[in-house]
Amino acid sequence: AAGVIQSPRHLIKEKRETATLKCYPIPRHDTVYWYQQGPGQDPQFLISFYEKMQSDKGSIPDRFSAQQFSDYHSELNMSSLELGDSALYFCASSLGGRDPRYNEQFFGPGTRLTVL
Amino acid sequence: GQQVMQIPQYQHVQEGEDFTTYCNSSTTLSNIQWYKQRPGGHPVFLIQLVKSGEVKKQKRLTFQFGEAKKNSSLHITATQTTDVGTYFCAGPSRGSYIPTFGRGTSLIVHP
């Protein structure tokens, strides 16, 4: 079965640079979520999209933005990178994001971002 | 805002012993989801409970959702080394679609 695809898997950037992370959700899933996970931490919700429209915002810094395109893939754009942005970034998708009976999330393998 | 607490943070067990992790939310949940994350891996969905008092089993794993829909537990019988990982509970409070994750319980199984 198709899974959530994320690219790149690893990314190294310098401070103040920009980064773009990509996510390809499972086909026919209507909701995409972005999470940030620091070492030993739980996934922190950043932002989500329902049917290509931004639906919820969590602890996403103003330096970050995201969008979902007509083909349902999503991109997380990060600017003015700081050392503290080093983390694993997960994308997840769900089918029936608005229905509490069916909104289980399927996570991608993550992008490990290191800011030097 | 909603807070989801999990205890314990770490649990060391000998292979064959049982293990339980507890999840408590500060608000009533629409559902509770459980995920397992292996070291270096990504969270993998295990199960979702929706009804008050619901109990579900997956082989050696038993999941419960409290009557008030504010707490949940995961019990593993006779742990195996393949059970190693961090177990997260996550649940959206009523009126929200975004699950808040607990801090997770890291299970270490000693052979």
Side-chain angles (χ1 to χ4, degrees):
Chain A
V4 176
I5 298 170
Q6 288 187 251
S7 67
R9 294 293 307 279
H10 302 272
L11 191 58
I12 299 175
K13 291 286 184 179
E14 300 275 343
K15 281 195 311 183
R16 291 180 288 278
E17 286 191 321
T18 61
T20 297
L21 309 185
K22 296 186 178 182
C23 168
Y24 297 83
I26 293 173
R28 296 188 300 280
H29 278 199
D30 58 15
T31 308
V32 168
Y33 313 78
W34 284 97
Y35 290 89
Q36 177 192 61
Q37 187 178 35
Q41 304 292 314
D42 55 293
Q44 292 292 311
F45 171 70
L46 295 177
I47 195 167
S48 66
F49 293 85
Y50 173 68
E51 284 294 344
K52 295 174 281 186
M53 299 288 290
Q54 182 186 305
S55 58
D56 294 273
K57 283 183 88 169
S59 52
I60 184 169
D62 291 340
R63 299 177 289 108
F64 294 6
S65 65
Q67 55 185 325
Q68 188 174 23
F69 296 86
S70 57
D71 65 352
Y72 285 87
H73 94 271
S74 178
E75 294 183 2
L76 178 65
N77 300 292
M78 311 161 73
S79 63
S80 303
L81 287 169
E82 302 173 357
L83 296 178
D85 296 328
S86 295
L88 262 173
Y89 290 84
F90 288 109
C91 171
S93 71
S94 70
L95 176 65
R98 296 290 172 176
D99 188 334
R101 296 171 299 172
Y102 305 112
N103 66 348
E104 61 264 36
Q105 298 181 36
F106 295 85
F107 282 74
T111 294
R112 183 173 295 281
L113 173 66
T114 303
V115 181
L116 302 176
Chain B
Q2 180 195 19
Q3 288 187 321
V4 177
M5 291 147 286
Q6 259 187 278
I7 56 170
Q9 187 176 0
Y10 300 95
Q11 184 76 58
H12 289 255
V13 299
Q14 289 294 132
E15 191 173 17
E17 291 182 336
D18 292 355
F19 159 77
T20 304
T21 172
Y22 300 91
C23 178
N24 290 284
S25 170
S26 59
T27 60
T28 303
L29 301 170
S30 300
N31 62 55
I32 189 80
Q33 301 165 6
W34 285 91
Y35 295 83
K36 177 183 179 182
Q37 186 174 21
R38 293 181 185 274
H42 59 277
V44 174
F45 173 77
L46 294 177
I47 205 161
Q48 176 167 277
L49 305 173
V50 180
K51 299 176 183 175
S52 169
E54 191 170 10
V55 178
K56 285 189 177 180
K57 292 191 175 186
Q58 286 181 350
K59 297 182 179 178
R60 295 178 294 104
L61 278 61
T62 302
F63 304 84
Q64 292 187 319
F65 199 11
E67 293 290 341
K69 301 183 77 172
K70 295 181 74 173
N71 57 69
S72 181
S73 66
L74 158 60
H75 179 82
I76 302 179
T77 304
T79 54
Q80 301 174 359
T81 54
T82 52
D83 295 325
V84 164
T86 301
Y87 293 85
F88 292 100
C89 65
S93 52
R94 280 192 180 156
S96 170
Y97 306 103
I98 305 301
T100 298
F101 278 75
R103 293 298 298 271
T105 295
S106 293
L107 172 63
I108 300 102
V109 180
H110 299 278

